[in-house]
Amino acid sequence: MSQSIFSGDFVDLSLGQLGASKIKTVNGQQHVVHFDLGEGKDLVYVFSVTNENRCYLQRAKPYPMTQVRFASTEETLHYIAKDYSAFQNARKSRKYQDFVDIAHKTIALTQQMEDLFITHNISTEDMALLHQETDRLTKLMEEIHSRSPEV
């Protein structure tokens, strides 16, 4: 079973119209899409289109985003267009690289936590400490969100 050629062509054409600088399609179902944010910075997505026209999307750069499932290629294209626009705006900020660095640290922390959990027997006390710290970070994010103006 394979995706229709029309659907794959529609996706690639639409992504090109959105401003994609490079599109690579593998077997008509998996797409790797690059957007140039300037100054050597890219926004890259990887998504797969199923035979039922459903999509599984991941952002690969500037930092990985977990997989999101969409009911159609149209929903996926809408999400990418909105996300790309937000990144174009964010890229203008002098704090952009700081944000990307913090995102990378957060991802590394999640990987360290997973490694810790699957390779060690964590004590109840240490588990409580991890809960406290993640709750504290969540609260900090909420505080920063409430006092920061929207763009």
Side-chain angles (χ1 to χ4, degrees):
M1 292 203 263
S2 66
Q3 176 193 15
S4 76
I5 293 170
F6 170 77
S7 182
D9 288 347
F10 169 75
V11 168
D12 290 347
L13 177 65
S14 298
L15 290 166
Q17 290 174 341
L18 284 174
S21 57
K22 180 180 174 187
I23 303 167
K24 181 178 180 183
T25 304
V26 180
N27 296 329
Q29 290 183 318
Q30 186 159 17
H31 302 260
V32 180
V33 185
H34 295 252
F35 291 90
D36 183 7
L37 294 173
E39 299 179 18
K41 306 292 184 188
D42 285 336
L43 180 62
V44 179
Y45 300 94
V46 177
F47 69 94
S48 299
V49 182
T50 68
N51 295 331
E52 295 81 28
N53 203 33
R54 290 189 176 91
C55 295
Y56 295 90
L57 173 71
Q58 292 181 292
R59 184 187 317 115
K61 279 185 172 184
Y63 56 88
M65 172 195 75
T66 57
Q67 190 172 50
V68 180
R69 181 178 174 203
F70 293 99
S72 67
T73 53
E74 291 80 8
E75 283 184 16
T76 306
L77 292 169
H78 177 74
Y79 180 91
I80 290 172
K82 186 176 174 182
D83 200 50
Y84 174 48
S85 177
F87 267 93
Q88 284 178 308
N89 187 50
R91 183 69 185 96
K92 296 173 190 172
S93 169
R94 290 172 295 186
K95 300 173 192 143
Y96 179 79
Q97 193 57 51
D98 287 337
F99 166 72
V100 171
D101 292 344
I102 291 168
H104 281 281
K105 286 180 182 180
T106 304
I107 292 163
L109 181 63
T110 301
Q111 291 170 338
Q112 287 175 328
M113 201 174 335
E114 179 178 299
D115 181 58
L116 179 65
F117 290 151
I118 63 177
T119 62
H120 291 77
N121 186 8
I122 311 295
S123 72
T124 303
E125 296 80 16
D126 286 340
M127 191 63 78
L129 284 172
L130 289 170
H131 270 290
Q132 286 174 341
E133 290 302 309
T134 54
D135 289 346
R136 191 174 67 81
L137 183 56
T138 299
K139 184 177 179 188
L140 175 62
M141 294 287 290
E142 290 167 356
E143 290 172 9
I144 292 170
H145 181 269
S146 70
R147 69 176 174 248
S148 301
E150 276 193 47
V151 292

